[in-house]
Amino acid sequence: MIEPLLTLPESMRDAFKEPLGPVTTDVAALLDAVDETRERHGSPAGAPAPLIAVGDVVTFHLRETGRVPDVAFVDGKTEREAVSEEIATALADAEERRIAVENPAAGLSTALLDALAEALAAAEPVTIEVTGEEDLAALPAMLAAPVGSTVVYGQPGEGMVRVAVAPEARATARELFEGLSGDTTTAYDVLGIDPGEVDADESA
């Protein structure tokens, strides 16, 4: 398995157990909130405000309602067990462009961060197929996606967490991101993020 650029230290594991946004099992209500976030926070004219799904089950449920995520991370697992055949088959049959990466558990690889940046810049939906685990992918997504976007990930045993990408959420994400062990400066470079711009968002 590829070496991570960033890893989650033992001391921070509890911080990642708390959901970073409201939790729901109602996909229709979640999608209404996604659209509301896009309208409320607004992006510059013509700029995208993507919907980013982290996890096979989340991606499956969104697709079942007819909403294909602009960026989806899948690894064939849920709570470290293989997903059901129904979910695996549905996601395998999806026709979106795919990027294959390796990423270790409790870590973020350069390949994953690079794929995220590439997917966010794409005009069409992209699925990032992860060999390993995508358990931390929501964090860089919250930093790299434009304001007005939404990141959705699964909360074990509870439902789907919806994070509206706005200055407050970015401030939380940055604090957690910079608490990871490793080369944060290079990680920002790979994502194409200027930390100063994140600071500007927070003070806006």
Side-chain angles (χ1 to χ4, degrees):
M1 178 60 65
I2 194 169
E3 286 294 315
L5 181 62
L6 298 171
T7 57
L8 177 62
E10 196 68 38
S11 61
M12 287 188 65
R13 289 182 185 260
D14 285 347
F16 280 82
K17 292 178 181 177
E18 293 298 318
L20 298 174
V23 183
T24 184
T25 57
D26 186 333
V27 182
L30 182 147
L31 290 173
D32 285 344
V34 168
D35 293 336
E36 183 182 336
T37 294
R38 183 175 287 148
E39 292 169 6
R40 182 191 321 129
H41 291 285
S43 304
L51 170 60
I52 302 163
V54 180
D56 298 62
V57 175
V58 169
T59 301
F60 173 76
H61 285 308
L62 292 173
R63 292 184 63 89
E64 285 293 283
T65 67
R67 183 72 69 94
V68 175
D70 299 285
V71 180
F73 288 90
V74 299
D75 63 6
K77 297 188 288 288
T78 178
E79 298 185 40
R80 293 187 165 82
E81 299 291 335
V83 296
S84 69
E85 184 176 347
E86 177 189 15
I87 292 176
T89 299
L91 296 182
D93 289 344
E95 297 180 353
E96 287 76 47
R97 176 185 163 204
R98 294 169 185 266
I99 302 174
V101 302
E102 292 185 22
N103 192 75
L108 291 168
S109 67
T110 301
L112 184 144
L113 298 178
D114 187 61
L116 171 60
E118 183 178 341
L120 287 171
E124 301 297 330
V126 175
T127 295
I128 299 172
E129 294 181 322
V130 180
T131 298
E133 292 188 19
E134 28 73 331
D135 46 348
L136 291 182
L139 197 56
M142 291 167 60
L143 290 170
V147 169
S149 304
T150 298
V151 178
V152 183
Y153 67 93
Q155 185 75 6
E158 296 186 42
M160 296 174 289
V161 181
R162 176 183 58 82
V163 182
V165 178
E168 183 178 351
R170 277 204 172 147
T172 300
R174 181 175 181 181
E175 182 178 355
L176 292 170
F177 191 71
E178 296 186 353
L180 300 176
S181 300
D183 190 348
T184 308
T185 300
T186 296
Y188 278 127
D189 287 343
V190 173
L191 288 168
I193 295 173
D194 178 352
E197 292 181 2
V198 178
D199 289 338
D201 284 341
E202 293 168 18
S203 61

